Amino acid sequence: MSNATASAAAPDTDSLANVAYAAIRRDILSCRLLPGVTVTEPELMDRYALGKSGCRIALARLEHEGLVRSRPRKGHRVAPIVVKDVEEVFALRAQLEPMAARLAVGRVDTALLRQLEAACRVELAAPLHERIDVFMDANKRFHLAIAEAAGNGRLLRTLSSLMDEMSRLVALGFNVQRVKPEIKHDHNAMIQAFDEGDEKRAETIARRHIETFRDQTMEKVYASLSQAGAYLPIGTLERGQ
């Protein structure tokens, strides 16, 4: 094969690997691939219609992100959700998002926030997991619009990563319990604070929102695990113990 032919083929491989990566990542974040499950390359190749090269490139990227872990001669294990991870994600969000809200006052596009809040409440004639996917996408865009307006690139990237980690927790809890999260009141109160230029109120509402969402999510997760006769692996002591 000539160099020109090889060069033309390379983008196809990269493109297929990107599609594979996005599809597997989506299914991990939505818990269609459950935390802790072990998958093999042949299984993934069959499920996602992949070639070996594209599958391995996708797995390498997912391993770099911490979403899968290699198990020599056994396959790859989808990263489990442990209490320590849950506590860390919500603890960081509770510190960073109020700061982002305060910094975004006078900068954020509240018309855009209203559109994203409305998108969070769209009811589709679709399976619950798809409706929760739509909700999580709109909810993430709502929060990241605030973080972007704060004008700190590192803050934006950190919050984006934290919200991806949280997606699995939300999917695990709310999918199994067959309900969507309810966040309308806090979103609208935050938009009003932005409209009024009230930094302190925006900061306070953002903190309350994270704490309330944490409690809602954990309640659903533990109910789901109890219903399934499973448990949440403990990486640190749970609150109140």
mmCIF file of all heavy atoms in Angstrom, residues 14 21-22 28 35 52 84 89 127-128 148 150 154 179 193 203 205 207 232:
data_model
loop_
_atom_site.group_PDB
_atom_site.id
_atom_site.type_symbol
_atom_site.label_atom_id
_atom_site.label_comp_id
_atom_site.label_asym_id
_atom_site.label_seq_id
_atom_site.Cartn_x
_atom_site.Cartn_y
_atom_site.Cartn_z
ATOM 1 N N ASP A 14 -9.035 6.614 12.767
ATOM 2 C CA ASP A 14 -9.223 7.591 13.836
ATOM 3 C C ASP A 14 -10.687 7.926 14.017
ATOM 4 O O ASP A 14 -11.184 8.045 15.142
ATOM 5 C CB ASP A 14 -8.432 8.869 13.539
ATOM 6 C CG ASP A 14 -6.925 8.645 13.641
ATOM 7 O OD1 ASP A 14 -6.521 7.618 14.238
ATOM 8 O OD2 ASP A 14 -6.169 9.491 13.131
ATOM 9 N N TYR A 21 -15.262 5.405 20.912
ATOM 10 C CA TYR A 21 -15.007 6.045 22.210
ATOM 11 C C TYR A 21 -16.252 6.763 22.716
ATOM 12 O O TYR A 21 -16.659 6.599 23.871
ATOM 13 C CB TYR A 21 -13.838 7.021 22.076
ATOM 14 C CG TYR A 21 -13.769 8.076 23.144
ATOM 15 C CD1 TYR A 21 -13.268 7.772 24.409
ATOM 16 C CD2 TYR A 21 -14.213 9.375 22.887
ATOM 17 C CE1 TYR A 21 -13.209 8.745 25.398
ATOM 18 C CE2 TYR A 21 -14.153 10.348 23.861
ATOM 19 C CZ TYR A 21 -13.656 10.030 25.120
ATOM 20 O OH TYR A 21 -13.616 10.993 26.092
ATOM 21 N N ALA A 22 -16.883 7.546 21.835
ATOM 22 C CA ALA A 22 -18.065 8.319 22.242
ATOM 23 C C ALA A 22 -19.220 7.399 22.641
ATOM 24 O O ALA A 22 -19.928 7.660 23.626
ATOM 25 C CB ALA A 22 -18.494 9.251 21.106
ATOM 26 N N ILE A 28 -21.263 4.177 29.449
ATOM 27 C CA ILE A 28 -20.724 4.117 30.813
ATOM 28 C C ILE A 28 -21.360 5.209 31.671
ATOM 29 O O ILE A 28 -21.811 4.954 32.795
ATOM 30 C CB ILE A 28 -19.185 4.270 30.803
ATOM 31 C CG1 ILE A 28 -18.532 3.033 30.188
ATOM 32 C CG2 ILE A 28 -18.656 4.501 32.225
ATOM 33 C CD1 ILE A 28 -17.034 3.159 29.994
ATOM 34 N N PRO A 35 -21.473 0.149 36.555
ATOM 35 C CA PRO A 35 -20.224 0.249 37.308
ATOM 36 C C PRO A 35 -19.791 -1.124 37.817
ATOM 37 O O PRO A 35 -20.593 -1.895 38.335
ATOM 38 C CB PRO A 35 -20.591 1.170 38.482
ATOM 39 C CG PRO A 35 -21.760 1.970 37.988
ATOM 40 C CD PRO A 35 -22.525 1.044 37.093
ATOM 41 N N LYS A 52 -10.769 -4.286 15.820
ATOM 42 C CA LYS A 52 -9.899 -4.421 16.988
ATOM 43 C C LYS A 52 -9.125 -3.141 17.271
ATOM 44 O O LYS A 52 -8.988 -2.706 18.419
ATOM 45 C CB LYS A 52 -8.929 -5.587 16.793
ATOM 46 C CG LYS A 52 -8.003 -5.826 17.992
ATOM 47 C CD LYS A 52 -7.162 -7.079 17.824
ATOM 48 C CE LYS A 52 -8.038 -8.317 17.969
ATOM 49 N NZ LYS A 52 -7.212 -9.560 18.015
ATOM 50 N N LYS A 84 -16.289 7.214 48.444
ATOM 51 C CA LYS A 84 -15.249 8.245 48.471
ATOM 52 C C LYS A 84 -15.344 9.132 47.237
ATOM 53 O O LYS A 84 -15.249 10.368 47.329
ATOM 54 C CB LYS A 84 -13.869 7.600 48.548
ATOM 55 C CG LYS A 84 -12.701 8.587 48.618
ATOM 56 C CD LYS A 84 -11.392 7.831 48.811
ATOM 57 C CE LYS A 84 -10.227 8.793 48.984
ATOM 58 N NZ LYS A 84 -9.928 9.539 47.759
ATOM 59 N N VAL A 89 -16.792 14.305 44.650
ATOM 60 C CA VAL A 89 -17.422 15.042 43.555
ATOM 61 C C VAL A 89 -18.353 16.118 44.097
ATOM 62 O O VAL A 89 -18.285 17.291 43.700
ATOM 63 C CB VAL A 89 -18.193 14.083 42.624
ATOM 64 C CG1 VAL A 89 -19.117 14.861 41.689
ATOM 65 C CG2 VAL A 89 -17.220 13.248 41.798
ATOM 66 N N PRO A 127 -38.102 6.284 26.036
ATOM 67 C CA PRO A 127 -37.802 5.538 27.256
ATOM 68 C C PRO A 127 -37.177 6.444 28.315
ATOM 69 O O PRO A 127 -36.524 7.443 27.985
ATOM 70 C CB PRO A 127 -36.812 4.465 26.784
ATOM 71 C CG PRO A 127 -37.091 4.310 25.329
ATOM 72 C CD PRO A 127 -37.485 5.676 24.843
ATOM 73 N N LEU A 128 -37.353 6.074 29.580
ATOM 74 C CA LEU A 128 -36.890 6.913 30.677
ATOM 75 C C LEU A 128 -35.401 7.221 30.582
ATOM 76 O O LEU A 128 -34.985 8.356 30.811
ATOM 77 C CB LEU A 128 -37.199 6.245 32.020
ATOM 78 C CG LEU A 128 -36.729 7.047 33.241
ATOM 79 C CD1 LEU A 128 -37.520 8.334 33.375
ATOM 80 C CD2 LEU A 128 -36.833 6.221 34.510
ATOM 81 N N GLU A 148 -18.633 29.071 32.410
ATOM 82 C CA GLU A 148 -17.942 29.742 31.299
ATOM 83 C C GLU A 148 -18.006 31.257 31.463
ATOM 84 O O GLU A 148 -17.031 31.966 31.206
ATOM 85 C CB GLU A 148 -18.565 29.322 29.976
ATOM 86 C CG GLU A 148 -17.834 29.866 28.759
ATOM 87 C CD GLU A 148 -18.357 29.296 27.458
ATOM 88 O OE1 GLU A 148 -19.395 28.603 27.479
ATOM 89 O OE2 GLU A 148 -17.723 29.545 26.415
ATOM 90 N N ALA A 150 -18.016 32.825 34.151
ATOM 91 C CA ALA A 150 -17.134 33.235 35.241
ATOM 92 C C ALA A 150 -15.749 33.631 34.724
ATOM 93 O O ALA A 150 -15.012 34.349 35.401
ATOM 94 C CB ALA A 150 -17.010 32.108 36.265
ATOM 95 N N ARG A 154 -9.844 26.972 33.822
ATOM 96 C CA ARG A 154 -9.593 25.790 34.658
ATOM 97 C C ARG A 154 -10.833 25.412 35.459
ATOM 98 O O ARG A 154 -11.135 24.228 35.646
ATOM 99 C CB ARG A 154 -8.404 26.038 35.585
ATOM 100 C CG ARG A 154 -7.063 26.031 34.864
ATOM 101 C CD ARG A 154 -5.893 26.268 35.815
ATOM 102 N NE ARG A 154 -4.618 26.132 35.122
ATOM 103 C CZ ARG A 154 -4.052 27.077 34.391
ATOM 104 N NH1 ARG A 154 -4.687 28.246 34.242
ATOM 105 N NH2 ARG A 154 -2.895 26.878 33.786
ATOM 106 N N VAL A 179 -37.640 7.840 37.918
ATOM 107 C CA VAL A 179 -38.087 9.228 38.078
ATOM 108 C C VAL A 179 -36.980 10.147 37.560
ATOM 109 O O VAL A 179 -35.813 9.780 37.537
ATOM 110 C CB VAL A 179 -38.396 9.588 39.545
ATOM 111 C CG1 VAL A 179 -39.620 8.837 40.029
ATOM 112 C CG2 VAL A 179 -37.198 9.316 40.448
ATOM 113 N N ALA A 193 -31.495 35.732 40.623
ATOM 114 C CA ALA A 193 -30.374 36.386 41.298
ATOM 115 C C ALA A 193 -29.424 37.019 40.292
ATOM 116 O O ALA A 193 -28.895 38.117 40.513
ATOM 117 C CB ALA A 193 -29.633 35.371 42.171
ATOM 118 N N GLU A 203 -24.588 32.970 44.902
ATOM 119 C CA GLU A 203 -23.656 32.047 45.544
ATOM 120 C C GLU A 203 -24.388 31.118 46.512
ATOM 121 O O GLU A 203 -24.154 29.901 46.528
ATOM 122 C CB GLU A 203 -22.591 32.844 46.291
ATOM 123 C CG GLU A 203 -21.469 32.041 46.865
ATOM 124 C CD GLU A 203 -20.392 32.936 47.479
ATOM 125 O OE1 GLU A 203 -20.710 34.073 47.892
ATOM 126 O OE2 GLU A 203 -19.236 32.487 47.552
ATOM 127 N N ILE A 205 -27.640 30.280 46.579
ATOM 128 C CA ILE A 205 -28.554 29.370 45.878
ATOM 129 C C ILE A 205 -27.772 28.238 45.222
ATOM 130 O O ILE A 205 -28.189 27.076 45.246
ATOM 131 C CB ILE A 205 -29.384 30.128 44.831
ATOM 132 C CG1 ILE A 205 -30.349 31.094 45.522
ATOM 133 C CG2 ILE A 205 -30.163 29.158 43.944
ATOM 134 C CD1 ILE A 205 -30.990 32.090 44.582
ATOM 135 N N ARG A 207 -24.953 26.932 46.194
ATOM 136 C CA ARG A 207 -24.533 25.979 47.229
ATOM 137 C C ARG A 207 -25.707 25.123 47.684
ATOM 138 O O ARG A 207 -25.595 23.898 47.822
ATOM 139 C CB ARG A 207 -23.924 26.722 48.420
ATOM 140 C CG ARG A 207 -23.422 25.790 49.538
ATOM 141 C CD ARG A 207 -22.663 26.538 50.607
ATOM 142 N NE ARG A 207 -21.395 27.048 50.100
ATOM 143 C CZ ARG A 207 -21.158 28.333 49.828
ATOM 144 N NH1 ARG A 207 -22.100 29.231 50.017
ATOM 145 N NH2 ARG A 207 -19.990 28.711 49.366
ATOM 146 N N LEU A 232 -23.077 -0.012 47.553
ATOM 147 C CA LEU A 232 -22.150 0.963 46.990
ATOM 148 C C LEU A 232 -20.795 0.727 47.639
ATOM 149 O O LEU A 232 -20.676 0.870 48.861
ATOM 150 C CB LEU A 232 -22.638 2.385 47.283
ATOM 151 C CG LEU A 232 -21.936 3.526 46.583
ATOM 152 C CD1 LEU A 232 -22.197 3.472 45.088
ATOM 153 C CD2 LEU A 232 -22.420 4.867 47.131
#
